[in-house]
Amino acid sequence: MGEASTKDKAARSTAQIESDISRTRDRLASTLDELAMRVHPATVAAQTKAKVLASVEQKAGRAYVAASGALEQVKAQFTDEKGRPRKDRIIPVALVGAGVLLLAASARKRRKG
């Protein structure tokens, strides 16, 4: 088998060998150009930017879904089945909120005065 492949190689003309070398050189040049493009700082920066942006968008989407769900849960605590406000729950929360604001304002006033 080794003898047959040697005969095949010997039977090739100089033009065929030069043509093979030229095609190999073209493929190598193309491969080198592609590698240079892949490692070029602008390409690397663009790819990194795209990955970071995708990650941020994904996390923002998850945060939005979580916040939306939490808001719906809070809303459900202060409205009835028909969507009307439940005064028996809103008034106590409003009073507590007003009390916290008064305490914060009082503490701030003491620090300044």
Side-chain angles (χ1 to χ4, degrees):
M1 182 171 179
E3 188 178 324
S5 64
T6 305
K7 287 182 183 178
D8 290 341
K9 288 181 183 178
R12 292 176 35 188
S13 70
T14 303
Q16 289 171 324
I17 293 171
E18 288 175 352
S19 176
D20 288 347
I21 290 171
S22 178
R23 281 194 304 273
T24 302
R25 186 180 298 125
D26 289 343
R27 282 195 314 266
L28 180 59
S30 176
T31 301
L32 289 173
D33 288 345
E34 183 181 340
L35 288 172
M37 192 65 176
R38 285 184 186 180
V39 298
H40 191 276
T43 304
V44 173
Q47 289 173 341
T48 302
K49 181 181 174 183
K51 287 179 183 178
V52 168
L53 185 59
S55 176
V56 167
E57 287 177 352
Q58 183 182 35
K59 288 178 182 176
R62 287 181 184 164
Y64 176 79
V65 169
S68 180
L71 184 62
E72 285 300 317
Q73 287 178 345
V74 169
K75 184 179 174 184
Q77 295 297 317
F78 296 101
T79 57
D80 62 13
E81 301 82 32
K82 295 181 181 179
R84 295 181 300 215
R86 295 180 68 177
K87 293 179 184 175
D88 62 317
R89 292 192 177 177
I90 294 174
I91 292 173
V93 171
L95 291 174
V96 168
V100 169
L101 286 175
L102 288 173
L103 283 173
S106 174
R108 188 172 185 189
K109 188 175 181 180
R110 281 188 211 148
R111 277 186 267 164
K112 286 185 178 182

